[in-house]
Amino acid sequence: VNSHINNIQDFNSVRDFITKSEPEIIFHLAAQPLVRKSYRDPIETWQTNVMGSLNILEAIKCSNHKSLLVMITTDKVYQNNEWEFGYRENDPLGGHDPYSSSKAAAELAISSWRSSFCGNLEHQNSNVYISTARSGNVIGGGDWAEDRIVPDFINGIFKKEKLFVRNPESTRPWQHVLEPLSGYIKLAEMMYSENQKFCSSFNFGPNLSSNKKVCELIREMNRHFDQDCDIQVSETSLHEANLLNLQIEKAYQYLNWFPKWNFEKTIFRTVNWYKLHYEGESALECCLSDINEYQRN
């Protein structure tokens, strides 16, 4: 593995690295992914999520070899109407908070890039293929990010820290990180073999039974420990969606992709990762254990 750390806001550096490495497939996951941080620093959020994505698109625009881009956005790109039913890929985009709106803007920019510069016309490049993947509320072992429910809960258990919960009644489509990752890989595979047919947007989410409230997520995690986490509900004036879920029929029909793990299995594998890690297993061993289990299903 050749690891190169870069800043996607630095176009010249991004372009030089892509030109040198000549990638056939790019999975773009770099982002400012936190809603509350986007309120504190909206300009940085937009610069990273929109202009950072455009820097990658521009860097690959003149590729002289087959180049596939799977651009990862989020389930929060949709104009959220607090519907009971899930959002489809052709539903209107929107976003109340700076994070969601920046991701929706990235989707519009990516779609424009695909329409303008991919194809066989004089100003287009037939070597470049672009899709977007929308998933969210991804959980799993190894997440130590700030302001996220699972690592905050784990810190509450193992470090005796308080868990501050903002919206315990909000419903989210919880899914294990391996689920959408398998979808991204499948999408790239189909793009490589079938080309333009798969150059569009795809939702990757769990089955409806995994759409659970935050408080239900916490109760399920608590079941795997002898002691309960010290939970406090915190007040916030910042807007976050209360109800959100995705329709995933398109991924099933086009990619033959579907989620493998139910809510209980997802929580067990997530919690078990941290347990094993605190007992001395390396992050690599914990991740390989999850991958092997996922591939057996």
Side-chain angles (χ1 to χ4, degrees):
V1 176
N2 180 13
S3 178
H4 181 85
I5 298 175
N6 209 335
N7 184 348
I8 60 170
Q9 292 187 30
D10 184 345
F11 170 70
N12 290 331
S13 182
V14 170
R15 178 196 57 196
D16 292 346
F17 177 70
I18 288 178
T19 300
K20 180 180 178 181
S21 60
E22 297 185 333
E24 289 183 295
I25 302 173
I26 295 176
F27 294 97
H28 170 48
L29 296 94
Q32 192 299 94
L34 301 175
V35 172
R36 289 212 298 176
K37 185 176 180 180
S38 76
Y39 280 102
R40 298 194 301 268
D41 201 343
I43 301 300
E44 175 75 12
T45 299
W46 273 67
Q47 287 175 337
T48 300
N49 295 347
V50 181
M51 294 310 302
S53 299
L54 287 177
N55 284 341
I56 294 173
L57 291 166
E58 178 68 6
I60 206 73
K61 189 173 69 176
C62 298
S63 174
N64 57 11
H65 65 279
K66 192 171 185 178
S67 299
L68 278 60
L69 284 79
V70 179
M71 312 288 285
I72 315 304
T73 57
T74 177
D75 59 352
K76 296 174 181 63
V77 298
Y78 296 105
Q79 178 180 306
N80 194 309
N81 298 307
E82 304 290 346
W83 286 332
E84 293 286 342
F85 49 87
Y87 294 93
R88 299 180 185 273
E89 288 84 351
N90 58 355
D91 281 330
L93 304 180
H96 184 284
D97 57 88
Y99 166 71
S100 301
S101 60
S102 71
K103 285 293 195 173
E107 283 274 0
L108 291 173
I110 295 165
S111 178
S112 170
W113 222 260
R114 181 170 52 227
S115 300
S116 299
F117 302 116
C118 299
N120 298 304
L121 299 179
E122 183 178 352
H123 63 283
Q124 296 177 332
N125 188 342
S126 61
N127 291 318
V128 179
Y129 305 87
I130 305 170
S131 67
T132 60
R134 302 167 180 173
S135 60
N137 296 98
V138 175
I139 61 177
D143 183 1
W144 301 108
E146 64 171 328
D147 205 19
R148 285 170 60 82
I149 186 67
V150 170
D152 287 350
F153 174 89
I154 294 299
N155 287 332
I157 293 292
F158 288 100
K159 297 182 180 180
K160 310 302 181 183
E161 297 177 359
K162 291 182 180 179
L163 172 61
F164 293 95
V165 179
R166 298 188 301 276
N167 301 296
E169 297 299 314
S170 293
T171 299
R172 295 289 185 268
W174 309 103
Q175 60 181 325
H176 194 276
V177 62
L178 293 179
E179 302 277 25
L181 288 180
S182 71
Y184 306 158
I185 294 170
K186 183 68 173 179
L187 176 56
E189 179 185 10
M190 300 303 289
M191 288 171 66
Y192 199 88
S193 60
E194 299 287 344
N195 300 335
Q196 296 291 353
K197 178 181 178 181
F198 297 93
C199 294
S200 60
S201 298
F202 286 85
N203 288 339
F204 294 99
N207 292 315
L208 288 176
S209 59
S210 291
N211 293 337
K212 301 287 187 180
K213 294 180 180 180
V214 172
C215 59
E216 293 176 294
L217 172 76
I218 294 171
R219 281 199 296 269
E220 184 65 24
M221 289 192 292
N222 256 331
R223 285 202 317 111
H224 299 282
F225 293 94
D226 295 331
Q227 77 276 18
D228 289 343
C229 185
D230 185 2
I231 301 169
Q232 293 191 6
V233 177
S234 61
E235 298 293 331
T236 178
S237 60
L238 302 180
H239 177 273
E240 289 189 65
N242 290 315
L243 186 62
L244 179 62
N245 63 84
L246 299 177
Q247 294 282 356
I248 57 175
E249 285 89 349
K250 184 179 178 181
Y252 176 78
Q253 293 293 335
Y254 278 70
L255 308 176
N256 193 31
W257 176 90
F258 50 88
K260 295 181 178 182
W261 289 353
N262 61 19
F263 179 71
E264 290 74 20
K265 182 67 173 287
T266 293
I267 301 307
F268 170 74
R269 296 306 306 188
T270 298
V271 168
N272 193 58
W273 193 103
Y274 291 101
K275 282 186 172 181
L276 293 175
H277 188 56
Y278 273 101
E279 290 172 1
E281 286 200 20
S282 69
L284 176 60
E285 291 171 326
C286 295
C287 289
L288 288 176
S289 175
D290 280 347
I291 291 171
N292 290 333
E293 174 68 16
Y294 187 80
Q295 291 181 323
R296 281 194 290 268
N297 293 128

